[in-house]
Amino acid sequence: METKKRVAYFYNNEIGNYNYGKLHLMNPKRISMTHSLIVGYGVYKDLDVYTTREATKEEIMQFHDQDYVEYLSNYVSSTKIDFLRKNGCTAPIIDEEAKNDVEKKRQYGIDVQADCPGFDGVYTFSQLSTGGSIDAAHLIINNAADVAINWGGGLHHAKKGEAYGFCYVNDIVICILELLKVFPRVLYIDIDVHHGDGVEEAFFTTNRVMTVSFHEFGEDFFPGTGGLNSSGEGLGKNYAVNVPLRPGMDDESYKQLFKNVMNKVMEVFRPDVVVFQTGADSLANDKIGHFNLSIRGHGECLTYMLRFNVPVVVLGGGGYTIQNVSRCWAYETGLLVKKNLNGPIPVDDPFFHLYEKQNMLHVPIQQVENKNSKEDLNKIQEEVFKQLKEVDA
Ligand code: ZLS
Ligand code: CA
Ligand code: ZN
């Protein structure tokens, strides 16, 4: 018998106001859009709602290098400096010199033209993303929730001393480090269309964390790591699981593979807690990813993990067709409180204009070619099972 779960939800109104830059694909507004739908569909009242706080420097330095964190926290964009100067500010601006140091920017992965621009408030944005993931972990630790959601988290690429792939602070690694203070074994699941490289790397040599990432792989798809035989080292041998896939994955093949793999993982690893990164760039019609999942298919992967009666931290991640991201995460918040959301977007939603072309929660998807043949998928599953046979947790 499945019992009713206590579901906690972290949100801060500020997070949607940060801006990676006009041309960038990562848009924090999708977090506010998700929140509006959660309120509009009435899911809100079934959640324990918490306001997300900013993670402290000390918390962030549990994973990241001090010099990198100092650099990020002092970051002031050139446009902001120009603005301040134009308005007669003569005071020294803390890291003006450092920030204009091209060498330092390169070292820390900050580049305005590229994936990780320095933008106004980049550090506070990262603190908010991370604060939610830490407090989600604490609620689970204190047995105050069975499921704890932070849609502002899930930034899986950030490295110890470097921003990478739209991610500056790895809230997931820090969340898992908190959980490891209490729980012997943590399972990390990543259904973002990209490989969860930062999290995998952080726990590559330990058998206390198993990382499992499903991702698009090949033809130079970012980040290029996460091949079938990257499986951990030392004590961590076999505790990194990768499921590299070609474009066009559809609901049926993805769900089947996901369930088969996760069932085996639960059997051999028996985690005390699950951290689930639910990047929505694996949905159909994403601006970066090339999978073809429906919102219902994506959601079924998440709810599949509830049956094991292990507490779950649910985090966001990628997702670049922002109307579909908010639809997906609002729908999944509903699923977690046993509500099957559907129907039109509430007309009084403050972002209603963004959905006007297609005003339903669930949107139809076109059939595209699945570049993964049945044989490919069987082969991958077989390889993963072979690896999991070697796990003796
Ligand atoms: O997993 O593919 C790359 C690296 C590049 C190509 C793009 N150029 C700008 C840099 C060098 C090889 N990067 C990926 C990163 C994807 C990060 C996914 C994060 C996550 O979902 C978790 C949150 C990438 N794919 C697409 C782009 N970058 C990209 C496309 C278009 C633009 C505009 C804004 C910025 C620069 C121009 C950008 C990035
Ligand atoms: Ca992934
Ligand atoms: Zn992604």
Side-chain angles (χ1 to χ4, degrees):
M1 238 298 275
E2 244 188 78
T3 49
K4 204 169 161 81
K5 312 241 184 243
R6 297 162 299 166
V7 181
Y9 166 76
F10 286 87
Y11 179 67
N12 188 312
N13 228 332
E14 286 300 310
I15 201 157
N17 298 330
Y18 293 93
N19 195 334
Y20 276 61
K22 266 209 293 295
L23 298 176
H24 208 283
L25 293 171
M26 176 58 106
N27 190 347
K29 189 160 83 177
R30 67 211 176 107
I31 311 297
S32 308
M33 292 167 64
T34 302
H35 181 77
S36 290
L37 291 180
I38 289 171
V39 174
Y41 279 107
V43 176
Y44 203 63
K45 54 183 186 298
D46 296 315
L47 301 166
D48 293 325
V49 179
Y50 295 85
T51 301
T52 308
R53 66 172 174 98
E54 295 162 14
T56 66
K57 203 172 263 183
E58 289 65 40
E59 288 172 322
I60 292 174
M61 285 187 335
Q62 288 187 95
F63 174 55
H64 292 283
D65 294 335
Q66 177 167 2
D67 60 326
Y68 171 59
V69 179
E70 298 287 352
Y71 177 82
L72 256 196
S73 66
N74 291 328
Y75 187 83
V76 189
S77 70
S78 340
T79 29
K80 177 88 173 247
I81 294 175
D82 293 348
F83 173 84
L84 291 169
R85 291 289 179 237
K86 265 201 205 105
N87 287 276
C89 171
T90 51
I93 296 164
I94 308 179
D95 214 28
E96 183 165 9
E97 244 164 86
K99 80 148 281 307
N100 286 318
D101 183 334
V102 178
E103 206 29 63
K104 258 204 164 140
K105 269 191 183 163
R106 187 163 307 145
Q107 178 190 345
Y108 296 130
I110 307 295
D111 184 348
V112 187
Q113 314 291 312
D115 286 346
C116 301
F119 59 87
D120 286 328
V122 60
Y123 185 64
T124 320
F125 167 76
S126 304
Q127 284 179 293
L128 283 172
S129 160
T130 305
S133 302
I134 293 173
D135 283 355
H138 287 162
L139 282 187
I140 302 287
I141 288 170
N142 297 329
N143 190 22
D146 303 305
V147 176
I149 308 169
N150 175 30
W151 295 125
L155 302 183
H156 57 181
H157 297 305
K159 304 291 160 80
K160 201 172 158 56
E162 192 183 349
Y164 194 50
F166 310 170
C167 307
Y168 303 83
V169 170
N170 202 314
D171 64 290
I172 309 171
V173 170
I174 297 168
C175 170
I176 294 174
L177 288 173
E178 289 297 324
L179 293 166
L180 287 173
K181 291 176 184 173
V182 175
F183 295 114
R185 284 188 300 277
V186 180
L187 171 63
Y188 173 66
I189 308 171
D190 185 319
I191 64 168
D192 188 289
V193 77
H194 297 97
H195 176 227
D197 57 352
V199 184
E200 177 180 283
E201 192 178 304
F203 301 110
F204 210 56
T205 60
T206 177
N207 55 6
R208 292 185 59 199
V209 179
M210 179 174 278
T211 60
V212 185
S213 177
F214 297 78
H215 45 266
E216 183 172 341
F217 186 78
E219 291 181 31
D220 286 331
F221 194 75
F222 185 86
T225 49
L228 251 185
N229 43 29
S230 160
S231 57
E233 280 170 8
L235 279 181
K237 180 103 195 83
N238 298 319
Y239 289 79
V241 178
N242 284 298
V243 186
L245 300 161
R246 302 289 171 212
M249 282 301 286
D250 54 39
D251 283 353
E252 277 329 300
S253 51
Y254 194 92
K255 279 184 338 194
Q256 193 59 252
L257 186 60
F258 180 88
K259 290 177 183 180
N260 292 349
V261 168
M262 292 322 302
N263 214 23
K264 192 51 106 200
V265 163
M266 291 305 282
E267 187 186 309
V268 301
F269 186 58
R270 291 174 285 104
D272 302 286
V273 56
V274 171
V275 176
F276 202 135
Q277 196 269 22
T278 60
D281 47 7
S282 42
L283 293 174
N285 299 311
D286 187 75
K287 289 185 178 157
I288 296 183
H290 308 100
F291 284 179
N292 203 30
L293 302 185
S294 73
I295 288 170
R296 287 194 178 89
H298 193 273
E300 206 172 309
C301 295
L302 177 58
T303 49
Y304 187 73
M305 297 314 297
L306 298 178
R307 75 188 53 227
F308 299 99
N309 287 315
V310 172
V312 188
V313 175
V314 179
L315 306 174
Y320 306 101
T321 301
I322 60 174
Q323 293 86 345
N324 291 346
V325 178
S326 53
R327 285 178 167 111
C328 178
W329 290 346
Y331 172 72
E332 289 176 349
T333 308
L335 288 183
L336 294 171
V337 298
K338 301 261 177 310
K339 289 227 158 85
N340 219 314
L341 304 187
N342 57 54
I345 304 289
V347 285
D348 54 351
D349 190 288
F351 301 102
F352 186 77
H353 58 284
L354 297 173
Y355 303 99
E356 240 158 5
K357 281 198 197 116
Q358 273 185 318
N359 73 335
M360 301 302 275
L361 183 69
H362 294 280
V363 286
I365 54 177
Q366 301 95 283
Q367 258 343 41
V368 303
E369 188 198 349
N370 186 351
K371 295 255 167 77
N372 304 271
S373 69
K374 282 252 158 23
E375 296 74 56
D376 296 342
L377 296 172
N378 284 338
K379 188 96 196 101
I380 290 169
Q381 181 173 309
E382 202 178 291
E383 286 300 313
V384 170
F385 277 26
K386 221 184 274 167
Q387 177 186 335
L388 289 172
K389 265 212 187 83
E390 303 298 313
V391 170
D392 43 351

